[in-house]
Amino acid sequence: MKLGLALTVCLFVFESSSAELAKSPPAEENLPSYEDVCANAKIVNGVGYQRHNSDCDKFFQCYQGEKMQDRMAVPRQCPFGQFWDQIVPTCRTASEVKCDTDKCNHKQLLSHPMDSGNCRSYWKCNLQKSVGDCCPMGQRYKKYQGCEKDAKCTDPCPGDSFHQGPCDSRPIFGDRSVFQQFVEGVNWHNMTCPGNTQYSALACGCVYHKGYEGVCKPELYLPFSKNFIDYSGNKREVISHGVKLTREGYAYFDGDSYLEIKKFMNFEQSEITVAVRFLKENKGGLTVVMSNSISEPKPTFLILNSAKNVHAMIKNTGNEIFTLHGVTREGNWNTVKVMHDENKLDLIVNDIYTERWAIGKIMDTQSNLYIGKSDKFQSFKGYIDEIAVFACRPKFIQT
């Protein structure tokens, strides 16, 4: 299964008797099974709802297009002081919802952090139930310890709950200029986004994004179809340091081998999108999938894979570091897309979406691009299906 790239390329198919082929990957039907986050979602008005596996105040909304491959699961957060109730399903006052992963189930715990971005908000434990609370103005919540003085902490608390809780609109797959709005008593009603905007399921509305304009062509495209040639049309030099190809058209990395893309576009772009599909063989450890530096200067763009997660990291020109994490299918193929546009960092792992603010351009390392290797991390061992890098946001990525 490819990434969905609609690229017209001319592949030079050849067989070389002298070239040693790598072993083939296991057949997909023989790989460990996994449960899709939306597999048992509760369907209400054509939208699926599923609890989060670890955070009581979060949940997923699941969308399915007419084609089975058109699907996405979007994480949502309940408003201040509320937990997700899968039975209803809706957000309700936290103390009224039974949640097995409520941290206040631990008798010794007095409080725990609230994932709100608000310096004053936190969860207070009352009779082993979480209750939303706020530190006094001029005080900041310190993780698991309580409120401490900080004159700079003046966030309004509770904060703005805009775009929290369930979203009452949904995407129309294949056309981001339109969406559907739920109207009570009418059901779903087709709507059109204003000019120069596109519908975003993450934002639950229409947003402006310059990357949506015009045609988005890749800066680098490696399909690994019988060779290591860049089929983006930019003819970038790709050097294989021991990487082998399989008969089926995958690149195999043995834990020491890696790819080097010479004189690659610097990452200090206003827009960057990376898409990669891989099957990892390494067990445990922090493995590097992609890096924009192999040693010094330190990388400012990284895609890493641990035992159960994918990690995306960028460092901006102001030396600020931003990270995102997504759950992987251990022992199975994973499709990962990372996007940054000077404002936000987005990570999509197997159709599960996460995002965060990440203001500023990515710092340029003036180095080459490396696949499968970077100092201080384990080198990648396993198979990569294909890789694409864009200086824009392609249409096949629905957000």
Side-chain angles (χ1 to χ4, degrees), residues 98-316:
K98 176 176 170 46
C99 180
D100 293 338
T101 56
D102 186 350
K103 290 182 174 63
C104 286
N105 288 331
H106 300 283
K107 294 181 179 179
Q108 305 303 317
L109 198 64
L110 299 177
S111 65
H112 60 96
M114 182 181 290
D115 184 16
S116 64
N118 188 301
C119 63
R120 295 172 54 205
S121 65
Y122 68 100
W123 293 105
K124 178 173 66 177
C125 295
N126 182 22
L127 301 176
Q128 291 183 258
K129 287 280 191 178
S130 289
V131 178
D133 205 352
C134 301
C135 291
M137 184 68 75
Q139 293 189 31
R140 163 187 301 277
Y141 178 73
K142 188 174 183 179
K143 289 183 177 180
Y144 302 107
Q145 296 186 33
C147 300
E148 62 179 15
K149 289 184 178 180
D150 184 349
K152 295 181 180 179
C153 180
T154 58
D155 292 349
C157 187
D160 187 2
S161 62
F162 184 62
H163 282 165
Q164 291 186 339
C167 175
D168 60 357
S169 60
R170 67 182 183 183
I172 295 177
F173 287 88
D175 188 353
R176 291 193 295 254
S177 66
V178 293
F179 64 99
Q180 290 187 322
Q181 179 73 46
F182 186 77
V183 180
E184 199 68 46
V186 179
N187 211 340
W188 293 99
H189 181 65
N190 288 347
M191 304 285 287
T192 302
C193 286
N196 298 320
T197 66
Q198 300 277 356
Y199 181 77
S200 167
L202 284 167
C204 188
C206 300
V207 297
Y208 171 75
H209 195 291
K210 63 183 178 181
Y212 292 136
E213 299 174 354
V215 177
C216 182
K217 295 182 179 180
E219 295 292 322
L220 173 73
Y221 179 47
L222 301 176
F224 302 123
S225 297
K226 309 299 181 183
N227 52 45
F228 296 105
I229 292 176
D230 168 26
Y231 285 98
S232 68
N234 295 312
K235 298 180 180 180
R236 300 189 183 279
E237 183 182 0
V238 181
I239 300 174
S240 170
H241 297 271
V243 180
K244 297 178 181 178
L245 297 171
T246 72
R247 191 172 300 278
E248 299 82 4
Y250 302 110
Y252 179 70
F253 298 72
D254 62 11
D256 293 314
S257 57
Y258 63 98
L259 293 179
E260 181 179 4
I261 294 85
K262 303 285 285 186
K263 299 179 181 178
F264 186 72
M265 55 168 279
N266 66 54
F267 270 70
E268 196 176 10
Q269 299 283 330
S270 59
E271 180 89 12
I272 188 78
T273 298
V274 175
V276 57
R277 183 172 183 261
F278 63 86
L279 172 62
K280 175 183 160 185
E281 287 186 336
N282 310 58
K283 299 295 182 183
L286 203 53
T287 301
V288 63
V289 178
M290 180 180 289
S291 173
N292 67 342
S293 179
I294 204 168
S295 55
E296 294 294 335
K298 294 181 179 179
T300 59
F301 181 93
L302 279 168
I303 299 177
L304 303 170
N305 185 211
S306 58
K308 295 184 179 180
N309 292 277
V310 165
H311 312 270
M313 185 281 288
I314 66 167
K315 182 178 182 180
N316 68 11

Side-chain angles (χ1 to χ4, degrees), residues 23-75:
K23 62 179 181 178
S24 298
E28 294 200 32
E29 58 267 23
N30 295 330
L31 294 174
S33 61
Y34 59 89
E35 185 172 278
D36 189 282
V37 69
C38 293
N40 298 310
K42 183 170 286 188
I43 307 298
V44 179
N45 295 320
V47 175
Y49 294 86
Q50 181 62 282
R51 65 166 58 91
H52 194 278
N53 62 342
S54 60
D55 295 337
C56 297
D57 59 343
K58 294 184 176 66
F59 63 99
F60 291 98
Q61 281 190 288
C62 304
Y63 305 104
Q64 183 82 50
E66 293 181 1
K67 300 176 182 178
M68 290 302 293
Q69 65 268 30
D70 290 338
R71 52 187 291 281
M72 69 166 68
V74 179

Side-chain angles (χ1 to χ4, degrees), residues 365-382:
T365 60
Q366 296 295 323
S367 181
N368 297 328
L369 181 66
Y370 297 90
I371 311 299
K373 185 177 178 65
S374 185
D375 285 359
K376 300 184 179 179
F377 300 104
Q378 281 188 13
S379 294
F380 180 79
K381 183 178 181 181

